[in-house]
Coordinates of all heavy atoms in Angstrom, one line a residue:
D54 N -3.8 -6.7 17.4 CA -3.1 -7.1 18.7 C -3.6 -6.4 19.9 O -3.9 -7.0 20.9 CB -1.6 -6.8 18.5 CG -0.8 -7.2 19.8 OD1 -0.9 -8.3 20.2 OD2 -0.1 -6.3 20.3
L55 N -3.8 -5.1 19.8 CA -4.3 -4.3 20.9 C -5.8 -4.7 21.3 O -6.1 -4.8 22.4 CB -4.2 -2.8 20.7 CG -2.8 -2.3 20.6 CD1 -2.8 -0.8 20.1 CD2 -2.1 -2.4 21.9
L56 N -6.6 -4.9 20.3 CA -8.0 -5.2 20.5 C -8.2 -6.6 21.1 O -9.2 -6.9 21.8 CB -8.8 -5.0 19.3 CG -9.0 -3.6 18.8 CD1 -9.6 -3.6 17.4 CD2 -9.7 -2.8 19.8
A57 N -7.2 -7.5 20.9 CA -7.3 -8.9 21.4 C -6.9 -8.9 22.9 O -7.1 -9.9 23.5 CB -6.4 -9.8 20.5
R58 N -6.3 -7.9 23.4 CA -5.8 -7.9 24.8 C -6.9 -7.4 25.7 O -7.7 -6.5 25.4 CB -4.6 -7.0 24.9 CG -3.4 -7.4 24.2 CD -2.3 -6.5 24.4 NE -1.1 -6.8 23.5 CZ 0.1 -6.6 23.9 NH1 0.4 -6.1 25.1 NH2 1.1 -6.9 23.0
S59 N -6.9 -7.9 26.9 CA -7.9 -7.5 27.9 C -7.3 -6.2 28.6 O -6.1 -5.9 28.4 CB -8.0 -8.5 29.0 OG -6.8 -8.7 29.7
V60 N -8.0 -5.5 29.4 CA -7.6 -4.3 30.1 C -6.4 -4.7 31.0 O -5.4 -4.0 31.1 CB -8.7 -3.7 30.9 CG1 -8.2 -2.5 31.7 CG2 -9.8 -3.1 29.9
R61 N -6.5 -5.9 31.6 CA -5.5 -6.3 32.5 C -4.2 -6.6 31.7 O -3.1 -6.2 32.2 CB -5.9 -7.6 33.2 CG -4.9 -8.1 34.2 CD -5.3 -9.3 34.9 NE -4.3 -9.9 35.8 CZ -4.2 -11.0 36.3 NH1 -5.2 -11.9 36.0 NH2 -3.2 -11.4 37.0
Q62 N -4.3 -7.2 30.6 CA -3.1 -7.5 29.8 C -2.5 -6.2 29.3 O -1.2 -6.0 29.2 CB -3.5 -8.3 28.6 CG -3.8 -9.8 28.9 CD -4.3 -10.5 27.7 OE1 -5.1 -10.0 27.0 NE2 -3.9 -11.8 27.6
L63 N -3.3 -5.2 28.9 CA -2.8 -3.9 28.5 C -2.0 -3.2 29.7 O -0.9 -2.7 29.5 CB -3.9 -3.0 28.0 CG -4.5 -3.4 26.7 CD1 -5.8 -2.6 26.4 CD2 -3.5 -3.3 25.5
D64 N -2.6 -3.2 30.9 CA -2.0 -2.6 32.0 C -0.7 -3.3 32.3 O 0.3 -2.7 32.7 CB -2.9 -2.7 33.2 CG -4.1 -1.8 33.2 OD1 -4.0 -0.8 32.4 OD2 -5.1 -2.0 33.9
E65 N -0.6 -4.7 32.2 CA 0.6 -5.4 32.5 C 1.7 -5.0 31.4 O 2.9 -4.9 31.8 CB 0.4 -6.9 32.5 CG -0.4 -7.4 33.6 CD -0.8 -8.9 33.5 OE1 -0.6 -9.5 32.5 OE2 -1.4 -9.4 34.5
S66 N 1.3 -4.9 30.2 CA 2.2 -4.5 29.1 C 2.8 -3.1 29.3 O 4.0 -2.9 29.1 CB 1.6 -4.6 27.8 OG 1.2 -5.9 27.5
V67 N 2.0 -2.2 29.8 CA 2.4 -0.9 30.1 C 3.4 -0.9 31.3 O 4.5 -0.3 31.3 CB 1.3 0.1 30.5 CG1 1.8 1.4 31.0 CG2 0.5 0.4 29.2
A68 N 3.1 -1.7 32.3 CA 3.9 -1.8 33.5 C 5.3 -2.4 33.2 O 6.3 -2.0 33.8 CB 3.2 -2.7 34.6
D69 N 5.3 -3.4 32.3 CA 6.6 -4.0 32.0 C 7.4 -3.4 30.9 O 8.5 -3.8 30.5 CB 6.5 -5.5 31.8 CG 5.8 -5.9 30.4 OD1 5.7 -5.0 29.6 OD2 5.4 -7.1 30.3
G70 N 6.8 -2.3 30.3 CA 7.5 -1.5 29.3 C 7.3 -2.0 27.9 O 7.8 -1.4 26.9
T71 N 6.5 -3.1 27.7 CA 6.2 -3.6 26.3 C 5.4 -2.5 25.5 O 5.6 -2.4 24.3 CB 5.4 -4.9 26.4 OG1 6.1 -5.8 27.2 CG2 5.2 -5.5 25.0
L72 N 4.5 -1.9 26.2 CA 3.7 -0.8 25.6 C 3.9 0.5 26.3 O 4.2 0.5 27.5 CB 2.2 -1.1 25.6 CG 1.7 -2.3 24.8 CD1 0.2 -2.5 25.1 CD2 1.9 -2.0 23.3
Q73 N 3.7 1.6 25.6 CA 3.8 2.9 26.3 C 2.5 3.6 26.1 O 2.0 3.8 24.9 CB 4.9 3.7 25.6 CG 5.1 5.1 26.3 CD 6.2 5.9 25.7 OE1 6.8 5.5 24.6 NE2 6.5 7.0 26.3
E74 N 1.9 4.0 27.2 CA 0.6 4.7 27.1 C 0.9 6.2 26.9 O 1.7 6.8 27.6 CB -0.1 4.5 28.4 CG -1.5 5.1 28.4 CD -2.3 4.8 29.7 OE1 -1.7 4.2 30.6 OE2 -3.5 5.1 29.7
I75 N 0.3 6.7 25.8 CA 0.7 8.1 25.5 C -0.5 9.1 25.7 O -0.3 10.3 25.7 CB 1.1 8.3 24.0 CG1 0.0 7.8 23.0 CG2 2.4 7.5 23.8 CD1 0.3 8.0 21.6
C76 N -1.7 8.6 26.0 CA -2.8 9.4 26.3 C -3.8 8.6 27.2 O -4.1 7.5 26.9 CB -3.5 9.8 25.0 SG -4.9 11.0 25.2
H77 N -4.2 9.3 28.3 CA -5.1 8.6 29.2 C -6.1 9.6 29.7 O -5.7 10.6 30.3 CB -4.3 8.0 30.3 CG -5.2 7.2 31.2 ND1 -5.3 5.8 31.1 CD2 -6.0 7.5 32.2 CE1 -6.1 5.3 32.1 NE2 -6.6 6.4 32.7
D78 N -7.4 9.4 29.5 CA -8.4 10.2 30.0 C -9.0 9.6 31.2 O -9.4 8.4 31.2 CB -9.5 10.4 28.9 CG -9.0 11.2 27.7 OD1 -8.1 12.0 27.9 OD2 -9.5 11.0 26.6
D79 N -9.1 10.3 32.3 CA -9.8 9.8 33.5 C -11.1 10.5 33.7 O -11.4 11.6 33.3 CB -8.9 10.1 34.7 CG -7.8 9.1 34.9 OD1 -8.0 7.9 34.4 OD2 -6.7 9.5 35.4

Side-chain angles (χ1 to χ4, degrees):
D54 178 52
L55 291 173
L56 292 172
R58 297 179 187 215
S59 68
V60 172
R61 181 177 177 198
Q62 290 171 320
L63 290 171
D64 288 341
E65 289 172 354
S66 294
V67 169
D69 71 14
T71 304
L72 291 176
Q73 181 180 8
E74 186 173 7
I75 58 171
C76 184
H77 185 98
D78 295 330
D79 281 328

